[in-house]
Amino acid sequence: MIEEKILRMTCEAVQQLYGQVIKPESIGMETTKKEITGDFTIVVFSLLKMSRKSPEATAGEIGAFLKVNVSEISEFNVIKGFLNLVLSDDFWTGFLASNGSRADFGIQEKRGEAPIVLEYSSPNTNKPLHLGHIRNNLLGYSLAEILKANGHEVVKVNLVNDRGIHICKSMLAYMKWGNGETPESTGEKGDHLIGRYYVLFDKEYKAEIRDLMEKGLSEEAASRQAPLITEAQEILRKWEAKDAEVLQLWKTMNGWAYDGFDLTYRRLGVDFDKIYYESETYLLGKELVMEGLGSERLVRKDDGSVWADLRDEGLDEKLLLRADGTSVYMTQDLGTAQLRYEDYHPSAMIYVVGNEQNYHFDVLKKVLSKLGKTFAGHVYHLSYGMVELPLGKMKSREGTVVDADDLMEEMFSTAAAMTRELGKASELSEEDADKLFNTIGLGALKYFILKVDPKKNMMFDPAESIDFNGNTGPFIQYTYARIQSLLSKAALAGYQWEQPVLSGQPSLLLLEKEIIKRLFLFDEAVIQAGREMNPAVIANYVYDLAKGYNQFYQELPVLKEEDTAKVLLRLCITDFVGKTIKTSMKLLGIMVPPRM
RNA sequence: GGUCCCGUAGCUCAGUUGGAUAGAGCAACAGCCUUCUAAGCUGUGGGUCGCGCGUUCGAAUCGCGCCGGGAUCACCA
């Protein structure tokens, strides 16, 4: 790597000129700002105490040394304490020639380590997926792609929350008012059908509470005594007792939910290597807790409940088993963590879960480590911010949610309308057109969500449709499509640019060099995105790349250029940009169209 | 109240381990299609980087204190 070489030789310069030994990491180097001549810039302020000279003199001396000792450096200039290095055209064209036709540029070598288990999605079977789940799913899928590109093996897992009182609420409402309807009989997606009964339950339950309060009960007593809630609790008890009738309905309704989820996942383009069900894992945590109790790492209170005491670690006491011996959410997560460890012996366990559960994961890690689990240190919570609406938070029971299926359908129709308006759909078969609209609509949605730093809350206004111009998915897709069009014309004209001889070119123009430099930085973007577990790094990178290429495309002729050497150089750049856009978008889980 | 996160242009967001004159897009305005796809390109206007103090040659970035917004602190998941 050229950066490492420059840093190494800078250390050498400091040693020879000033007699001091320093480490490469201590040198500040960055890419040169656009307005200034240069490719890399070394900031020399930190070296002044060794040189005991002015910033300008120090930068000048080091620059002169580097120019002599690093063959790739063709010239340099100094502005205050900034040493701007210019690499030779041969370096850049050499980079282009050796990487430009690689389809796997940016993909790092396999590490051969234990896999990373990545959990994402984790839906409840009592309601359909909404915009918050979309953010989760897109982050999870993209992160998996990014980690793979960083040489990791990744196991994508989904933990389905298929049991608990909330499921019983939908079941009860269905038993009372369902009239035996099914997804087949109503033509409704199963998850939506179930969600309807969940909302209905809440409505009727609230009505009961109101009635009871009018009869003089406190709100708390009313919400505890309302017949609907006690009936739902009874169903939960029956479920845990494996009551045949309840189990049958539970299986049927969960089946409807899974069919619905499958459709949503398929359309969204996400998938999983393994699915865990809480109904199959919720008992496992108990064993762990009992073990911990035996080795006196946990404490049992007088009523029989079991707790982890985390007060010496700045947290509170945390309940792990109720007095009646049943387990809570934390207990389940202890169990699934253990199970995953046994299944894969992973090098890391990543959970893509909203930031509302930060505390939960702090506790989870501490309890695991209290239980002596060495893998506690490998648990990483990828905590992402909420998607906020102009009116505030989404609440599924109050109907203020942006439904995942509706949103995707809306993106599809917007894409269709816009494409038709631009007159670009006329030559396509209906099938190809639908495919294109799907690619563009989903591209807009996915990019809109992934370009934002995961840890930040983000705003979504349903009244304003997601843009297709500017810093958007379709902008990048369009750049790609235009590149493909140009390349196929070039191929028809008989050009061959796959194995170009690029030495002896006329000197690179600024726009040519800038786009090559941008391509050069892709490796670093992939590595940074992986290190920070942040798809937005890739999104921002690919936008800059597309933006830079569009300038290039606008200003410089490719096929109409008279100098054949230039034509080949620009085709080579064009192809390379296309490949890198495609790879970047793949890391985001976004498709790229051959034409649009 | 305790803990954690966030605060950058009218709006949505970028801004590398602290570096040069804080950047994009949208919206507004003005240009560019007889020339490789105008979902594009170029230009103009728009900023007390929430406020203050500190560390530093240098702070949007690090530390402390305020102000504002959010999350969480369940025998819910």
Side-chain angles (χ1 to χ4, degrees):
Chain A
M1 287 289 277
I2 187 67
E3 294 103 313
E4 282 154 23
K5 184 174 180 184
I6 293 171
L7 287 173
R8 212 168 52 239
M9 291 314 290
T10 304
C11 294
E12 186 71 25
V14 169
Q15 187 169 3
Q16 291 202 12
L17 294 167
Y18 312 127
Q20 303 270 347
V21 177
I22 58 167
K23 290 180 177 166
E25 304 88 77
S26 68
I27 300 167
M29 186 166 82
E30 56 207 66
T31 52
T32 306
K33 291 184 61 162
K34 219 197 220 153
E35 313 82 64
I36 291 165
T37 304
D39 299 323
F40 292 100
T41 294
I42 293 174
V43 187
V44 301
F45 290 107
S46 63
L47 305 175
L48 299 185
K49 55 183 176 291
M50 298 170 200
S51 69
R52 308 175 68 137
K53 292 180 180 171
S54 70
E56 289 84 350
T58 308
E61 288 178 352
I62 294 172
F65 181 94
L66 290 176
K67 188 178 170 182
V68 171
N69 291 285
V70 179
S71 57
E72 292 89 345
I73 294 176
S74 58
E75 51 184 292
F76 70 94
N77 65 78
V78 175
I79 303 172
K80 293 191 280 184
F82 299 92
L83 169 58
N84 304 305
L85 304 167
V86 179
L87 301 191
S88 66
D89 282 1
D90 279 351
F91 171 79
W92 294 115
T93 52
F95 161 73
L96 189 59
S98 52
N99 294 284
S101 54
R102 285 175 57 198
D104 65 342
F105 176 67
I107 307 302
Q108 310 298 308
E109 281 182 29
K110 292 258 183 295
R111 295 171 182 242
E113 292 170 357
I116 291 174
V117 174
L118 173 68
E119 174 188 311
Y120 72 100
S121 200
S122 312
N124 293 345
T125 55
N126 66 329
K127 54 180 184 244
L129 272 41
H130 59 64
L131 183 52
H133 295 110
I134 289 189
R135 190 176 194 190
N136 180 305
N137 280 279
L138 297 182
L139 281 171
Y141 183 85
S142 173
L143 186 58
E145 293 297 309
I146 288 168
L147 291 172
K148 285 185 209 168
N150 276 278
H152 293 102
E153 188 189 330
V154 179
V155 181
K156 291 179 276 189
V157 307
N158 191 357
L159 174 62
V160 179
N161 180 260
D162 61 347
R163 61 167 284 280
I165 188 71
H166 46 291
I167 314 286
C168 296
K169 290 177 182 176
S170 306
M171 284 166 61
L172 178 62
Y174 179 81
M175 286 157 81
K176 283 187 176 300
W177 305 297
N179 295 321
E181 68 177 25
T182 65
E184 290 75 27
S185 73
T186 62
E188 191 176 17
K189 250 173 113 248
D191 50 338
H192 288 260
L193 187 152
I194 291 171
R196 211 153 39 74
Y197 285 99
Y198 186 67
V199 172
L200 180 60
F201 174 92
D202 197 62
K203 189 177 148 222
E204 298 294 333
Y205 176 41
K206 286 207 170 110
E208 287 187 352
I209 292 173
R210 261 198 316 277
D211 288 348
L212 289 171
M213 284 169 72
E214 277 167 20
K215 287 174 186 159
L217 270 68
S218 72
E219 184 172 1
E220 197 199 335
S223 50
R224 220 168 339 103
Q225 291 173 21
L228 277 173
I229 195 70
T230 57
E231 283 181 70
Q233 283 160 349
E234 178 58 21
I235 292 175
L236 182 60
R237 269 190 294 277
K238 282 185 175 170
W239 182 87
E240 294 205 359
K242 302 195 190 311
D243 176 275
E245 198 181 334
V246 168
L247 274 184
Q248 184 54 48
L249 180 63
W250 174 75
K251 279 182 188 160
T252 303
M253 290 182 72
N254 273 351
W256 294 344
Y258 300 145
D259 290 345
F261 291 162
D262 282 347
L263 288 173
T264 306
Y265 287 146
R266 200 171 311 148
R267 184 157 197 192
L268 198 53
V270 303
D271 57 22
F272 305 94
D273 301 307
K274 175 155 178 97
I275 298 180
Y276 290 96
Y277 298 92
E278 278 192 12
S279 58
E280 293 169 0
T281 64
Y282 80 106
L283 293 170
L284 294 172
K286 273 194 198 179
E287 292 176 29
L288 282 177
V289 172
M290 297 316 287
E291 279 171 34
L293 198 55
S295 59
E296 297 181 349
R297 296 170 196 269
L298 305 176
V299 293
R300 189 189 282 278
K301 296 209 166 172
D302 293 342
D303 65 358
S305 58
V306 180
W307 299 71
D309 186 354
L310 303 171
R311 284 174 298 190
D312 52 348
E313 304 196 54
L315 299 178
D316 214 335
E317 291 180 289
K318 182 74 193 179
L319 177 91
L320 298 179
L321 285 181
R322 298 187 184 102
D324 65 4
T326 56
S327 54
V328 293
Y329 177 46
M330 181 60 67
T331 326
Q332 294 173 183
D333 259 10
L334 292 171
T336 49
Q338 175 72 29
L339 188 61
R340 266 172 224 181
Y341 175 73
E342 286 165 8
D343 283 350
Y344 299 104
H345 290 86
S347 58
M349 292 195 266
I350 301 173
Y351 295 75
V352 181
V353 178
N355 61 14
E356 62 210 344
Q357 294 196 35
N358 285 355
Y359 181 71
H360 173 78
F361 281 95
D362 282 350
V363 173
L364 178 67
K365 278 184 262 188
K366 291 205 158 69
V367 174
L368 282 172
S369 109
K370 205 168 203 34
L371 290 171
K373 302 298 179 187
T374 51
F375 61 81
H378 300 156
V379 170
Y380 185 89
H381 174 204
L382 180 72
S383 163
Y384 64 90
M386 300 289 99
V387 181
E388 293 169 332
L389 305 177
L391 298 168
K393 215 185 153 180
M394 284 186 275
K395 296 214 172 75
S396 44
R397 280 178 295 194
E398 291 168 22
T400 59
V401 289
V402 176
D403 178 77
D405 297 315
D406 291 350
L407 183 56
M408 285 191 280
E409 187 56 33
E410 195 182 312
M411 295 308 298
F412 177 88
S413 9
T414 308
M418 194 153 302
T419 307
R420 293 215 170 89
E421 195 179 318
L422 291 167
K424 298 194 179 194
S426 48
E427 296 169 25
L428 297 175
S429 70
E430 196 174 325
E431 193 189 342
D432 284 350
D434 278 0
K435 197 173 158 193
L436 178 63
F437 303 154
N438 207 47
T439 297
I440 296 172
L442 272 178
L445 174 61
K446 292 182 178 186
Y447 185 86
F448 176 81
I449 286 173
L450 290 174
K451 75 171 175 181
V452 180
D453 185 334
K455 71 168 185 283
K456 293 191 177 178
N457 288 353
M458 63 179 293
M459 175 63 74
F460 176 81
D461 187 349
E464 278 177 53
S465 55
I466 293 175
D467 259 313
F468 284 64
N469 298 320
N471 187 357
T472 67
F475 168 92
I476 296 157
Q477 292 172 321
Y478 174 72
T479 306
Y480 178 84
R482 211 157 56 164
I483 284 172
Q484 300 319 303
S485 165
L486 185 51
L487 291 177
S488 56
K489 287 202 167 121
L492 274 177
Y495 286 108
Q496 293 189 353
W497 60 90
E498 295 283 324
Q499 306 286 334
V501 178
L502 295 173
S503 55
Q505 281 267 336
S507 59
L508 291 174
L509 300 176
L510 191 62
L511 280 170
E512 292 165 342
K513 192 163 154 180
E514 267 177 9
I515 197 76
I516 298 172
K517 277 160 69 174
R518 180 57 58 185
L519 288 161
F520 180 80
L521 294 173
F522 184 50
D523 262 310
E524 194 183 307
V526 171
I527 292 165
Q528 190 193 343
R531 188 178 59 235
E532 298 175 4
M533 300 192 186
N534 183 359
V537 170
I538 300 296
N540 291 322
Y541 171 84
V542 71
Y543 172 68
D544 281 343
L545 180 66
K547 174 98 180 143
Y549 182 79
N550 282 335
Q551 282 170 25
F552 169 97
Y553 179 91
Q554 198 79 25
E555 299 291 327
L556 303 175
V558 178
L559 299 176
K560 303 217 186 298
E561 166 64 40
E562 290 175 6
D563 182 343
T564 310
K566 276 290 188 198
V567 174
L568 287 175
L569 172 82
R570 288 173 191 168
L571 281 173
C572 203
I573 290 172
T574 297
D575 193 9
F576 198 5
V577 170
K579 286 184 163 72
T580 304
I581 287 178
K582 186 173 188 175
T583 304
S584 299
M585 294 295 257
K586 185 165 180 291
L587 296 185
L588 299 175
I590 301 175
M591 311 264 284
V592 108
R595 51 187 289 190
M596 71 183 268

